[in-house]
Amino acid sequence: MPELPEVEALTAFLAENAVGKVVTRVDLAAVQAIKTFDPPLSALGGLELTGVTRHGKFLDLDVSGLHLVVHLARAGWLHWRTGLPTAPPKPGKGPLALRVHLEDGNGFDLTEQGTRKGLAVYVVRTPAEVPGITRLGPDALAVDREQFAALLGGRSGQLKGALTDQTLIAGIGNAYSDEILHAARLSPFKMADKLNDDEVIRLYDAMRATLTDALERQAGQQAATMKGEKRSGLQVHARTGLPCPVCGDTVREVSFADTSLQYCPTCQTGGKPLADRRLSKLLR
Ligand SMILES: [Zn+2]
């Protein structure tokens, strides 16, 4: 699940390794991944990759004025490949979704594990044509403290949902929201518009610290090693049952239909476990 730090690091990696090269061909292996039809993917062939930027969790490759926009979703990843096979991949087999060939024989694969497919690719004339990009709130690393306070103050709903809502603040997903809330010592179920000034400052500082620490760890990593680097820096996310590195309490989990969150009761909820959504309403 790449979030702001990983997508930023992929952006830097591609800027160094791919920008300035001509895209010779793009192979589509997972038909459902492409969300646009005009211009066609084939329009990218023969054009130079001139830039790469990030919008929230979207990767935006500028191919001489056309944009190949990628959203890696939950289980998507970018694999840099040296010496790509020239034979077209077999559609619908394995995790490969899209393959981009560059003039020097290198390139990259977009892959997606699992059966729930969310990886999305768009070929557009401007990134503003991608609905998920036009709806993005301010970037998590660009928002200032006053703006952050105003955004939360105008939001009814729990902090976990607020931090991961890309239309409110862009770039944070399931993993880093758990980490940010842990660092801020706030319950994921606390209501966003009920924070006092001290809590808003703690949350803002935790957001910046968590994301910049992750960025520093990811900077200079090869695309292949970013996942492990991300995992090694986590304090509570995906660590259910393990001791909290801060206080030693056992990290707990709340499960939902298709996702889960992790938190430390001692650090975040006054020692009280959050059993489920119904219970959380009583505990907040
Ligand atoms: Zn703890």
Side-chain angles (χ1 to χ4, degrees):
M1 294 172 223
E3 301 178 29
L4 186 156
E6 291 76 40
V7 180
E8 184 73 27
L10 286 173
T11 302
F13 179 86
L14 290 174
E16 199 177 317
N17 292 280
V19 167
K21 310 236 166 78
V22 171
V23 173
T24 49
R25 199 177 85 218
V26 182
D27 298 328
L28 181 67
V31 180
Q32 79 278 358
I34 185 92
K35 306 303 177 189
T36 53
F37 58 91
D38 177 35
L41 261 180
S42 59
L44 301 172
L47 299 180
E48 183 186 334
L49 180 54
T50 46
V52 53
T53 49
R54 176 184 65 81
H55 312 278
K57 296 189 273 183
F58 289 86
L59 193 60
D60 172 9
L61 296 121
D62 187 339
V63 189
S64 299
L66 291 178
H67 292 258
L68 176 64
V69 175
V70 176
H71 190 260
L72 292 166
R74 296 173 125 208
W77 201 250
L78 185 149
H79 299 268
W80 180 252
R81 302 277 309 264
T82 48
L84 272 174
T86 50
K90 290 196 173 63
K93 287 229 168 147
L96 182 65
L98 191 90
R99 174 169 288 164
V100 176
H101 298 262
L102 300 173
E103 59 183 323
D104 56 5
N106 300 334
F108 57 88
D109 286 348
L110 302 178
T111 63
E112 187 172 34
Q113 303 293 336
T115 50
R116 278 192 42 181
K117 300 298 184 189
L119 186 146
V121 176
Y122 311 79
V123 181
V124 289
R125 293 177 180 87
T126 158
E129 290 176 55
V130 177
I133 289 181
T134 51
R135 287 197 299 261
L136 288 175
D139 194 78
L141 283 180
V143 71
D144 66 26
R145 197 183 273 173
E146 287 68 35
Q147 195 181 10
F148 183 73
L151 288 169
L152 287 182
R155 169 84 183 200
S156 58
Q158 297 166 335
L159 279 181
K160 174 73 178 178
L163 286 179
T164 53
D165 179 355
Q166 302 304 298
T167 68
L168 191 74
I169 301 163
I172 301 167
N174 197 29
Y176 289 115
S177 58
D178 282 352
E179 295 298 299
I180 291 164
L181 288 164
H182 178 252
R185 291 175 281 117
L186 289 169
S187 166
F189 294 126
K190 192 158 176 87
M191 288 297 169
D193 58 357
K194 297 285 190 289
L195 298 186
N196 63 33
D197 292 349
D198 174 59
E199 290 170 328
V200 170
I201 290 169
R202 249 159 54 205
L203 187 59
Y204 179 77
D205 291 348
M207 176 179 77
R208 290 206 58 95
T210 301
L211 295 176
T212 49
D213 284 359
L215 257 179
E216 280 167 20
R217 282 200 307 276
Q218 298 292 12
Q221 296 282 327
Q222 300 293 306
T225 56
M226 280 178 202
K227 269 193 212 176
E229 189 57 39
K230 175 178 179 179
R231 184 161 274 265
S232 71
L234 300 174
Q235 310 267 297
V236 287
H237 183 75
R239 298 189 73 249
T240 306
L242 295 170
C244 167
V246 173
C247 73
D249 193 2
T250 303
V251 172
R252 298 209 185 218
E253 172 172 304
V254 180
S255 298
F256 305 97
D258 59 353
T259 183
S260 65
L261 65 81
Q262 285 82 38
Y263 69 102
C264 168
T266 295
C267 290
Q268 295 176 256
T269 59
K272 287 178 268 189
L274 304 170
D276 59 29
R277 264 204 272 213
R278 280 167 294 124
L279 182 62
S280 75
K281 291 211 170 81
L282 305 174
L283 286 177
R284 79 170 183 255

